[in-house]
Structure formats: C-alpha cells, structure tokens
Amino acid sequence: MCIKMRDRLAIVVPCYNEEEVLPMSIETLMDTLSRMISEHKIAPNSFLLFVNDGSRDKTWTILKEAYTGYDNIFAIQLARNVGHQNALLAGLCMAKEHADMVVSIDADLQDDVNAIGEMVDAYRDGCDIVYGVRSSRKKDSFFKRQSAQMFYRFLSIMGVETVYNHADFRLMSKRALEELSKYEESNLYLRGMIPLLGYQTREVLYERKERMAGESKYPLKKMLSLAFDGITSFSTKPITMIVTLGVTVLLICLLAAVYAFVSYYQGNVEKGWTSLILSIWFIGGVQLISIGIIGEYIGKIYKEVKKRPKYNIETFLYKENGEDK
Ligand code: UDP
Ligand code: MG
C-alpha cells in the first residue's frame, strides 16, 4: 500500500456524566491533535468528536462551549443514554463520513494519548486496525485486574476471539469502519466484532493510568452485562455444552445401570430402587440432549438473524484487456 500523507484523523470520545474530567480531557486531546498536525502527521482539518451519551450533568454544556471555542471540536448529543458501546458506534459511524482514520478513546484518558501518534504511524505503514494494548495493569485495583483476567480467559474458552488486554482504545481506517457498519447486530460487543473484520493489524503498547477525576461509569453490574453480551453475542458454545452434558449423563446412566443390576442380583436393595434410579438418570440424560438439540436450532436461527457479512474483500486485482484498472 502506498504511504498515506497527511490523512484526516478523527478522535471519537464517548462521554457519560463526565463533567469533572472533560475540561482536562479536551485540553489534553487538543494538545495532542495540534502537535500531530504541526508534525505533519495528520491533516490540519483533523478533529475531535465527542458523543454525549445522555448525560445528566453539565457534560453537554461543556461540549457546546468547546464546539464554539475551537474550530476542530465537534459533538453529538444522543437522545438518551444508550451505553458505552452504542455511543461509541454512533461516533465511529459519524466520524468515518468525514475522516480517513478514527481513533476511539475514553473520556477519562486512562489510555495514553501519546500512543495515538504510534497508531497513526502504524496506519501510515498500511495497517487498517491498530489495537491499543495495556502493557500492565498495575494501576487497576486487585479485583479489577483479576476479574479482567478471568473474563479474557473465559471468553477464549467460550470460543470468542479477542485481543488480550485491549479495551476500546484503537485506530480504525475508513474502510475498516465501512465494513464494521455492515454488521447489523444490535447487541454490540465491539472488541469481539473488530477482529472478525480481518485486514492488517498491529498492537501498540501503553501504560494504563488511573482515572483523572470522576468515578468509573462501569460498575460491576455493567461489566458483567458486557461480559455476558461478549459471550452470548459471539458463541453458541454454551448450547453445545448442554448436549455434551446430556451425553455425559447418559454415559453415567450406563454405569449406574451396571451398578444397579449388580446390587439387584446381590439382593441387597429396596424393591423398586433399581428401576427408579435408572429412570431418573435416563430421563435426565434424554432431556438434556433434547434441550441441547432444540438449542442447536435456536443457535442457527440466532446466527442467521444477525445477517453478518459472510466475507470482506480486502483487495480486488482486476485487469481489462491486460491493463490495470
Ligand atoms: N460511557 C458512556 N456511556 C455509558 C457508560 C460509559 O458513554 O453508559 C463512557 C464513559 O464516559 C467513558 C467510557 O465510556 O468515556 C468508559 O467508561 P469508564 O472510564 O467509566 O469505564 P472504566 O474505565 O472504569 O472501565
Ligand atoms: Mg475509564
């Protein structure tokens, strides 16, 4: 791919009740943007795009002031709170209409803005997706670190491909975003969807900091619900597990049958026990397998209704009358 000179960059920032941290974040992001523009890394009309996700505090007022005060700050106001993933997607879809590459970053700037320069370098080397990956989680609480690690491990057991220690700090090219917008699902888990796109990717390491101000907008409840979406939106493995469990129970039933018959012939069992215990195991196994099979069909329906694109063409080499088009 040819080297892209001075492409337009958009930095998308979802914000939910971020009045405490926002003034600092705007300043830091503007500095970063201006520095990259003066270094001729990105086009002079590169911009910041803030998405106000139905905040109930002064977030929108701060954003409106920033919009008036700076030429390259834009803002979207969502009609209500739709959650981080949806707010982010709204920003990405809007930004891709005006920019060549888009970086997404949280409003609290726990992710290192200095990594954005490295992401742009990777883009200029031809990468379409650049993942920001935390080099360490020293600054996270013990609980957050352990739960995050368990989450990644569990996802990979469940067959969901994710980038380890990567959240939603990443750069995507316009064409990668065009492809992403073809995914029509409504239960979003962007970290699982983006690796499905393919393309040339790279990881950029950075140190994750503590929140500058305000509180985390991701309490345990939201974290668990994101984890649940991550699994149920990407994997039908839990259904397959039911079938496996059913088969296992039937196998145990066979062993139980041998044991029950031996006990029966030895004559040291209560009357009716053998048939009762065998029926319980047998019916249990049959029921689990049946539920699993119904589940497999539901799994198919679930995959069909998502209408995910079946492929994504990266390059098309084509000639007409022997000449490149
Ligand atoms: N956020 C959002 N909508 C929500 C919750 C969070 O747009 O309903 C934004 C929030 O403003 C921040 C980002 O999502 O920019 C990540 O949230 P936070 O930093 O609180 O999560 P944590 O870093 O604690 O996981
Ligand atoms: Mg944060």
Side-chain angles (χ1 to χ4, degrees), residues 14 16 18 53 81 107-108 110 208 211 216-217 222:
Y16 177 57
E18 297 286 10
D53 184 17
N81 178 253
D108 55 10
Q110 282 187 279
R208 185 158 153 107
R211 206 175 224 282
S216 170
K217 308 297 178 295
K222 270 195 192 171

Side-chain angles (χ1 to χ4, degrees), residues 56-69:
R56 288 185 302 267
D57 64 359
K58 294 205 202 74
T59 298
W60 186 238
T61 321
I62 299 171
L63 290 179
K64 276 193 293 190
E65 275 167 20
Y67 168 73
T68 331

Side-chain angles (χ1 to χ4, degrees), residues 179-199:
E179 286 306 319
L180 181 69
S181 62
K182 289 187 193 158
Y183 286 69
E184 292 178 7
E185 57 214 77
S186 46
N187 285 302
L188 287 187
Y189 182 65
L190 292 170
R191 281 173 238 179
M193 287 160 74
I194 288 159
L196 298 179
L197 299 176
Y199 290 127

